[in-house]
């Protein structure tokens, strides 16, 4: 039996590690549904992350803490159905890996069974036991250090991390511990560029940066931020490549105007009536309700239209 899918060969973790070792930058973005996944995959990104940022980007929460496993599974399944070529990763949401290794393995396994090729989780040395348990269960793990959004309350909001000497050293040591525990890559978020470059230099596994300067092995940005979809002022570390919010708004406003002014739909968006049906309608005469009800074979109440 062949284990090779012939539809399309998807990116694997060893592919990414080889690419990074050859000095090629890795490209990662988020996807939350089939459409965003198809767009990002068509653009040729290496990694698609179903991030728990779905909470603030798509679901209207202020931070990622309310995101549950069920929410993650719902969005991951939609992304997986797009059968992307890119490596597909899923975030482990808050509390899905904090209350014991067995529960973490079960939760991560659920994400893998839905199509994720690996999971991402936040935190440093204290996550080592859980990372070991996941790796032991054949679940590839990407670590996430620096500005870890699930530490929102401890950090006092989304704030740049690793600026003090002790914190910078701690972050470097944490990165080494994650690598030792078996992480195949480490995401560095919201830290000074020089610190991220130093961590990247010390690690053998690739780093993916967001708000962490140009010295990482790759970069990630949230899909909606790159495309200007949120309509919000973007954070400093984002470069916006399209004002999609304004463009989509204007297109929808144009359609609304066409509807209101009778320009939509036109003949090209309508279905023509065949001649035979037109003749039948032309010959139709309204019948008195009494006659209709007593005629044999006709239902006593009109059938519900489909
Ligand atoms: O959830 C998310 O989108 C992330 C970002 C770092 C990309 O983790």
């Amino acid at each position: 039996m062949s284990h090779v899918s012939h539809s399309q060969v998807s990116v694997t973790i060893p592919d990414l590690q080889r690419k990074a070792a050859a000095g090629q930058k890795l490209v990662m973005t988020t996807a939350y549904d089939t459409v965003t996944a198809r767009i990002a995959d068509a653009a040729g990104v290496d990694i698609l992350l179903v991030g728990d940022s779905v909470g603030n980007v798509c679901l209207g929460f202020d931070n990622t803490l309310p995101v549950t496993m069920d929410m993650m599974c719902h969005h991951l399944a939609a992304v997986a159905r797009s059968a992307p070529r890119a490596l597909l990763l899923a975030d482990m949401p808050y509390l899905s890996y904090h209350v014991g290794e067995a529960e973490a393995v079960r939760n991560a396994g659920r994400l893998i069974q839905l199509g994720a090729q690996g999971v991402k989780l936040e935190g440093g040395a204290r996550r080592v036991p859980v990372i070991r348990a996941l790796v032991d269960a054949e679940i590839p793990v990407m670590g996430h250090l620096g500005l870890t959004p699930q530490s929102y309350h401890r950090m006092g909001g989304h704030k740049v991390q690793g600026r003090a000497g002790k914190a910078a050293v701690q972050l470097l040591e944490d990165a080494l511990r994650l690598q030792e525990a078996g992480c195949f890559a480490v995401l560095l978020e919201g830290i000074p560029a020089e610190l991220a470059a130093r961590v990247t230099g010390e690690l053998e596994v690739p780093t993916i940066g967001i708000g962490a300067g140009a010295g990482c092995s790759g970069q990630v940005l949230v899909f909606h931020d790159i495309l200007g979809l949120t309509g919000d002022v973007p954070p400093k570390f984002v470069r916006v490549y399209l004002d999609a919010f304004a463009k989509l708004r204007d297109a929808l406003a144009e359609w609304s105007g066409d509807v209101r002014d009778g320009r939509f739909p036109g003949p090209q968006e309508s279905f023509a009536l065949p001649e035979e049906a037109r003749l039948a309608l032309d010959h139709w005469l309204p019948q008195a309700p009494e006659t209709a009800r007593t005629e044999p074979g006709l239902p006593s109440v009109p059938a519900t239209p489909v």
Side-chain angles (χ1 to χ4, degrees), residues 30 32 49 51-53 91 120 144 187 189 210 220-222:
T30 57
Y32 309 111
L49 170 71
D52 59 352
S53 54
D91 259 335
K120 176 167 78 59
H144 184 159
L187 190 144
E189 176 167 0
I210 174 165
V220 57
L221 281 180
V222 164

Side-chain angles (χ1 to χ4, degrees), residues 287 291-301:
Q287 292 183 1
T291 325
R293 230 179 273 133
T294 52
E295 201 152 332
L298 283 181
S300 56
V301 282

Side-chain angles (χ1 to χ4, degrees), residues 25 97 126 175 178 210 216 227 252 265 274 306:
K25 294 277 187 185
Y97 55 99
R126 69 164 75 104
L178 295 188
I210 174 165
C216 298
L227 299 176
L252 279 167
V306 279

Side-chain angles (χ1 to χ4, degrees), residues 24-175:
Q24 295 173 40
K25 294 277 187 185
L26 305 178
V27 182
M28 169 165 153
T29 189
T30 57
Y32 309 111
D33 56 32
T34 311
V35 174
T36 52
R38 285 178 55 205
I39 295 170
D41 206 46
V45 303
D46 300 304
I47 310 171
L48 280 180
L49 170 71
V50 182
D52 59 352
S53 54
V54 68
N56 31 310
V57 177
C58 302
L59 304 178
F61 297 122
D62 288 338
N63 55 56
T64 57
L65 296 176
V67 176
T68 63
M69 271 302 295
D70 285 347
M71 292 177 196
M72 288 303 299
C73 288
H74 178 75
H75 288 271
L76 169 62
V79 169
R81 282 191 286 272
S82 76
R85 198 195 123 275
L87 184 86
L88 180 55
L89 300 182
D91 259 335
M92 296 203 66
Y94 179 59
L95 283 188
S96 69
Y97 55 99
H98 303 76
V99 290
E101 286 134 48
E103 193 170 329
V105 171
R106 251 190 302 278
N107 284 328
R110 203 172 149 201
L111 299 172
I112 297 293
Q113 287 180 327
L114 282 172
Q117 290 159 276
V119 300
K120 176 167 78 59
L121 57 81
E122 300 180 6
R126 69 164 75 104
R127 300 288 173 241
V128 164
V130 91
I131 293 168
R132 284 197 200 287
L134 295 175
V135 172
D136 231 45
E138 308 297 349
I139 299 173
V141 181
M142 177 181 279
H144 184 159
L145 293 174
L147 192 171
T148 44
Q150 292 172 16
S151 322
Y152 185 77
H153 296 306
R154 178 176 56 73
M155 294 182 307
H158 293 132
K159 306 232 169 94
V160 175
Q161 303 293 303
R163 280 185 152 143
K166 199 171 158 213
V169 169
Q170 175 73 60
L171 193 138
L172 173 57
E173 287 179 354
D174 277 344

